Amino acid sequence: MSEKIVLASDLDGTWIRGSGEAKKKLYSAVEANRDRITLVYATGRTLESVSKLDIPLLPVPDYYICEVGTAIYNSDKTPLKSIQSWISEKWPEGTQAKVQQLLEGIPGLTSQDEVQTSRMSFDYKKDVFPAGKAAEIVTAAGFDVIDSHDRYFDVLPLGVSKGPVLLQLLKHLNTDPSKLIIAGDSGNDTSMFMLGEFGSHGILVGNAHSDLKEAIKDCKNVVAAKGEGTVGVYEGLVRLGVLSE
């Protein structure tokens, strides 16, 4: 495949999981084709957390989609203002306090300490936290919810997550969704796989969580890789004709 594509990958469990050799193979192959690959990291991490990653040969992406899709940055780590404004408008001042009030008294839920842009993220204890009840409360108030890894509960602006923000980025780049390939392993990647209905392709790595597998079982254009993490991403890119063996 010689045409230009956008490659958007989750980090933990996907792009940065694997042996040093496996990472080197994937990263080197992608870097050798950067003239035709626009690279996007789509992660639940904050930009600060991503910046602290100390992984040899880790490519610098063209864009960072952070905090489960509620923050987006250019390669130089400055906000991509047009899309960030679109996100921020959906999370006006005072929204965090409103969410805290909605979830006050819910057992097993602890707010994460890190600075959050346009979301509220929590850790929870699976055997105590009533995830279904909490999700009903929050969605009834007009927010979106992502429950992932059986430990993270994210409250997001309505209509904002990795997938919708990727669509906004494709519009910014004047790129058709059919030129997008995504890769992921957990529940907060679900909305990226949903873009298959617009013609994009997805790589489901071999270590994908059961909640993601269930959520995307009817999604189109999904390559189920056998390999885990970086091995699975490489496998998927070969099967899609982006890289050679």
Side-chain angles (χ1 to χ4, degrees):
M1 182 184 291
S2 59
E3 60 188 1
K4 292 186 176 182
I5 65 161
V6 175
L7 173 61
S9 179
D10 174 56
L11 290 177
D12 296 271
T14 308
W15 190 261
I16 62 173
R17 172 173 173 147
S19 66
E21 182 180 349
K23 290 174 184 173
K24 180 180 179 180
K25 181 178 180 180
L26 174 63
Y27 302 164
S28 298
V30 169
E31 283 289 77
N33 289 279
R34 286 298 286 273
D35 60 325
R36 60 187 181 88
I37 296 177
T38 297
L39 182 61
V40 182
Y41 291 158
T43 177
R45 290 175 177 258
T46 62
L47 181 64
E48 180 182 9
S49 175
V50 175
S51 300
K52 290 179 179 179
L53 289 172
D54 184 16
I55 300 174
L57 302 178
L58 181 68
V60 175
D62 297 283
Y63 299 95
Y64 300 86
I65 295 176
C66 297
E67 301 183 47
V68 206
T70 59
I72 183 168
Y73 305 91
N74 297 295
S75 183
D76 63 2
K77 300 180 182 178
T78 59
L80 205 173
K81 292 182 179 179
S82 60
I83 301 178
Q84 192 61 56
S85 296
W86 173 79
I87 296 168
S88 299
E89 287 172 0
K90 298 173 179 289
W91 193 268
E93 187 176 349
T95 301
Q96 286 196 343
K98 180 179 179 180
V99 173
Q100 285 178 322
Q101 187 175 18
L102 286 170
L103 294 174
E104 188 175 0
I106 299 289
L109 196 62
T110 305
S111 179
Q112 293 181 4
D113 293 332
E114 60 189 5
V115 176
Q116 299 166 16
T117 304
S118 295
R119 61 160 179 159
M120 280 208 73
S121 293
F122 302 85
D123 298 324
Y124 70 80
K125 296 180 180 178
K126 184 180 179 182
D127 57 341
V128 178
F129 176 60
K133 177 183 176 181
E136 287 179 10
I137 291 171
V138 172
T139 55
F143 299 99
D144 277 344
V145 169
I146 296 178
D147 182 347
S148 60
H149 296 275
D150 288 330
R151 60 178 294 192
Y152 300 128
F153 189 80
D154 291 292
V155 181
L156 313 175
L158 188 65
V160 175
S161 59
K162 292 181 181 181
V165 172
L166 266 176
L167 274 184
Q168 292 293 320
L169 179 59
L170 292 177
K171 290 178 183 178
H172 174 78
L173 297 173
N174 194 28
T175 298
D176 190 86
S178 64
K179 307 302 181 187
L180 171 68
I181 296 174
I182 68 95
D185 74 297
S186 73
N188 68 30
D189 300 317
T190 302
S191 63
M192 295 200 295
F193 284 94
M194 295 293 184
L195 299 182
E197 76 173 284
F198 300 105
S200 69
H201 289 77
I203 300 170
L204 182 71
V205 291
N207 55 295
H209 292 251
S210 58
D211 59 342
L212 177 61
K213 292 179 180 179
E214 177 63 24
I216 69 168
K217 63 183 180 181
D218 295 323
C219 286
K220 299 177 180 178
N221 304 328
V222 176
V223 172
K226 294 181 180 179
E228 298 185 357
T230 49
V231 175
V233 176
Y234 194 99
E235 176 189 336
L237 291 174
V238 169
R239 290 170 62 180
L240 290 170
V242 177
L243 299 178
S244 60
E245 291 279 7

